[in-house]
Amino acid sequence: MSRPANTPLIAAGVAAVGALILVSTTVYKVDQRQQALVVRFGDPVAVVTTPGLHLKTPIDNVLRFDKRNIDLSANQEEVTAADQQKLVVDAFVRYRISDTRQFFRALGRESVARDRLDRIVNAALREQIGRADSGDVIAGKRAQIMAAIREEVARQVEASNLGIQIIDVRIKRADLPEPNQQAVYERMQTARKQEAAELRAIGDQQRKEIVATAYEEAEKIRGEADAQRAQLFASSFGRDPSFAAFYRSMQAYEQSMGRGDTTFVLSPDSDYFKYFQKGPGG
Amino acid sequence: MPWNDNAGPGPWGSPPPGDDKNDGGRNKSDPGRRPSGPPGVPPPPIDVSELVERVTERLRATFGGPGRGKAVMLGAGAVVGLWLLTGAYVVQPNQQGVVSTFGAYSRTSDPGLRYHLPWPVESVERVPVTSIQTLDIGGVPGAEVPAERLMLTGDENIVDLSFTVQWRVSDAGKYVFNVREPNGVLKDVAESAMREVVGKTALTPILTNGRGQVETQTRVLMQQVLDRYDIGVYIEGVRIQVANAPQPVVDAFRDVQRAAQNAQSAANVARGEAAQVIQQAKGYREQVVREAAGDAARFNQVYDQYKLAPAVTRERLYIETMQRVLANSNKVIVDNKGANAPVILPSDTFRSRAPAPTAAPAATDGVAR
């Protein structure tokens, strides 16, 4: 605690504080997600894209920008397709700050960039969709149309030298406006009604077809039976038509009149009464 | 954030002694640098006061005894040791740790107890990688999001569809560093991919048997887009949860189903009737043919006998038949020779007798059937 001992202590303290200040003004950190722009009195003097610790002069200012793939959702727009059909289109853009210096000069902040991009994307959407039929936007050529929009946006961004790289532009939704939706619902309903009617008619037709086919087959079977019967009778009764007639008559008499509900008024002259009348000599 | 990351493990993390020695050794080249680290000097105020104390102690030691110097060194070592301890961290089994050195990505660490250089040098972010995460588009039952559900199909119909995307992080580094708000990206890409695929597909397959195809195509398309973004995400699968006709046309669709059912049942009923008709005809055939065969056979038998004695048989058949016929009947015998007067029959003559039993087949060669 002697006097001479204090002097180096103070000196060391001053040196330490000085070193701290120096380090804090000359060393800066850049995150993996970021890129930095070193600005000296408003003038961008260096672009730093490698993350880690870096050195600068104490008079420099460091601005950090995102290096990642950034999202921009375009506002929902009602766009008219080439066939005059209106579509509500919802798109999103993915971009990246590719040239920090240029980005800083042309746009400065991300919010400004969003406004610019939004306008460019909307114009491109209108132009490309305006050239296509609504059906193509919804269905067949959506991929091509998206590619065309992407190219268009990329071209314009390139031409405006914004320091931005367009990674992708995708149509998220392409829907019909509300009134047209109702029309679609009606069309779907009528189409379904038609389908239902057709199905019922087919059912009816099938039913008739099945029944008629069965009738046809049944009659064939019956005819076959009748034919077989005729053939059987012809082959047996045909051996002696006269006896067959007699035999068959006897059968018929018995079946038609022998059931107890017939009253016979007979003449004793009939053959049956031959002996009844004339006795055994008959 | 890195502050938090380091503060956590400190108190309980006790790195293996080897580690401690190692870093203690390495530390010897460091101490000059450490206090000169960026502003907001390390953690708690204790540290600061100790630092001051340490400096004074050292100065005192310079002019004091050598024993004091030893104590100072011990104190400083303890502080440095505590600081080093804050670098320990645990990666859970389903995670990977992404370690940055001064903000720059340096390595990805696997599950277990790990170590990184303490703040402010390194920091870690833990990302779940093996666990499959789900993303519901169109809401879940009870909390639907109609705007996300209604989609135009390739045949310009509208379908009400909700689906789930199953995904996992395939590259933790890419997932953390390459894309801003990766979860929002997934949702946007999922929606746009599904709508693109549905826009190419007709309504009926989406509602019926084409779902698998829609799911596969959406999965492939999503993966392509995400790979282009280099987001480090793998799409495990896309599952359509609900695919319906939109509410206003649901009834019409149900009616189609009813109609199909009706047609089916009409055909079934008809098939039943048809089988019955044919069965009846077959019964008829059986009956007719067998009876005819029977009749013919019987006739043949009788005829064979008849040929042996025609007159006798004929006579006999006649008389027997008449007998059977007349035995069962009312009879009025009128001798009409010379009887010109009208015959008055009693009123009950024509009343039928008691219903006669069906004529029993004659015992021998009778003709009754």
Side-chain angles (χ1 to χ4, degrees), chain A residues 4 13 46 138 281:
Chain A
I138 296 160

Side-chain angles (χ1 to χ4, degrees), chain A residues 147-221:
Chain A
I149 294 171
R150 180 161 57 238
E151 269 164 40
E152 172 78 12
V153 173
R155 198 179 56 73
Q156 285 200 34
V157 167
E158 183 80 22
S160 319
N161 204 4
L162 301 176
I164 284 176
Q165 180 205 348
I166 297 296
I167 298 168
D168 203 359
V169 180
R170 286 186 66 81
I171 296 174
K172 195 157 80 173
R173 297 179 197 167
D175 288 337
L176 297 170
E178 187 59 30
N180 305 44
Q181 249 177 37
Q182 290 306 325
V184 170
Y185 289 153
E186 268 164 43
R187 185 169 48 70
M188 287 173 81
Q189 271 167 345
T190 49
R192 263 3 92 183
K193 275 180 189 150
Q194 184 197 331
E195 202 179 322
E198 267 173 29
L199 281 171
R200 293 204 164 93
I202 288 172
D204 196 45
Q205 182 227 327
Q206 275 184 332
R207 187 180 61 77
K208 284 180 177 154
E209 204 175 285
I210 291 165
V211 170
T213 310
Y215 176 80
E216 183 192 354
E217 199 180 331
E219 288 308 287
K220 274 184 192 159
I221 292 169

Side-chain angles (χ1 to χ4, degrees), chain A residues 9 32-33 110 187 264, chain B residues 59 105 125 156 180 332:
Chain A
L9 175 64
Q32 182 81 29
R33 302 168 182 81
E110 223 178 82
R187 185 169 48 70
F264 290 94
Chain B
L59 283 166
Y105 170 75
E125 268 184 69
E156 291 212 36
R180 194 194 276 181
V332 178

Side-chain angles (χ1 to χ4, degrees), chain B:
Chain B
M1 272 225 326
W3 182 281
N4 289 343
D5 284 355
N6 292 343
W12 42 264
S14 59
D19 237 301
D20 206 6
K21 262 175 219 159
N22 252 354
D23 288 299
R26 195 198 299 174
N27 189 44
K28 265 163 197 152
S29 58
D30 273 356
R33 189 178 168 188
R34 191 216 154 233
S36 70
V41 172
I46 314 149
D47 205 11
V48 181
S49 64
E50 263 184 356
L51 183 82
V52 175
E53 199 182 333
R54 184 150 44 105
V55 172
T56 15
E57 278 293 324
R58 183 185 292 181
L59 283 166
R60 202 176 292 162
T62 320
F63 301 95
R68 282 198 162 177
K70 222 174 192 179
V72 169
M73 290 310 277
L74 269 175
V79 170
V80 169
L82 274 175
W83 177 67
L84 288 173
L85 276 183
T86 61
Y89 64 99
V90 169
V91 178
Q92 299 297 328
N94 64 339
Q95 294 175 330
Q96 279 187 336
V98 178
V99 181
S100 306
T101 309
F102 290 117
Y105 170 75
S106 73
R107 61 189 185 275
T108 301
S109 55
D110 288 329
L113 178 61
R114 304 282 160 206
Y115 185 77
H116 65 73
L117 292 177
W119 187 89
V121 181
E122 287 187 339
S123 65
V124 64
E125 268 184 69
R126 297 180 201 87
V127 183
V129 283
T130 54
S131 44
I132 291 174
Q133 312 191 42
T134 56
L135 169 70
D136 292 307
I137 311 278
V140 289
E144 288 90 356
V145 187
E148 286 178 4
R149 294 174 69 107
L150 296 177
M151 299 179 195
L152 279 173
T153 61
D155 47 0
E156 291 212 36
N157 287 309
I158 295 173
V159 66
D160 178 10
L161 186 146
S162 70
F163 64 103
T164 303
V165 178
Q166 271 131 12
W167 61 278
R168 61 179 170 80
V169 176
S170 59
D171 186 321
K174 288 179 178 177
Y175 180 76
V176 170
F177 295 125
N178 282 5
V179 177
R180 194 194 276 181
E181 293 169 38
N183 290 356
V185 175
L186 272 169
K187 190 163 187 292
D188 280 347
V189 172
E191 257 197 86
S192 98
M194 178 57 87
R195 280 168 186 273
E196 187 177 334
V197 171
V198 165
K200 281 191 288 198
T201 315
L203 175 66
T204 317
I206 299 173
L207 295 181
T208 54
N209 52 9
R211 287 189 189 195
Q213 218 179 342
V214 171
E215 290 170 343
T216 313
Q217 286 178 8
T218 306
R219 196 195 74 75
V220 170
L221 188 55
M222 273 192 80
Q223 191 66 62
Q224 280 172 2
V225 174
L226 293 173
D227 286 350
R228 197 154 70 225
Y229 298 170
D230 209 16
I231 192 178
V233 162
Y234 179 77
I235 303 297
E236 293 278 349
V238 172
R239 204 55 63 252
I240 292 177
Q241 297 297 332
V242 182
N244 278 334
Q247 207 51 47
V249 293
V250 158
D251 281 345
F253 273 86
R254 293 218 177 103
D255 193 43
V256 171
Q257 281 171 357
R258 266 199 301 275
Q261 301 291 326
N262 289 349
Q264 196 63 46
S265 65
N268 287 345
V269 170
R271 266 182 219 111
E273 282 173 19
Q276 207 183 340
V277 166
I278 287 167
Q279 216 50 53
Q280 276 171 355
K282 282 182 178 163
Y284 172 82
R285 179 176 62 192
E286 204 63 13
Q287 187 190 2
V288 163
V289 172
R290 295 252 173 255
E291 283 180 3
D295 286 349
R298 185 173 174 182
F299 175 82
N300 286 344
Q301 301 278 343
V302 174
Y303 181 67
D304 287 347
Q305 296 309 311
Y306 164 80
K307 267 204 312 202
L308 297 176
V312 173
T313 309
R314 226 178 155 97
E315 184 84 6
R316 183 178 55 79
L317 282 176
Y318 173 71
I319 289 173
E320 279 174 5
T321 305
M322 282 307 152
Q323 179 191 341
R324 281 195 297 273
V325 169
L326 294 177
N328 272 337
S329 311
N330 294 329
K331 295 156 287 274
V332 178
I333 300 174
V334 176
D335 189 350
N336 55 358
K337 262 185 280 176
N340 289 327
V343 179
I344 315 279
L345 298 173
S347 62
D348 64 344
T349 303
F350 298 99
R351 199 191 307 142
S352 75
R353 291 149 44 118
T358 343
T364 53
D365 52 355
V367 288
R369 275 173 37 165

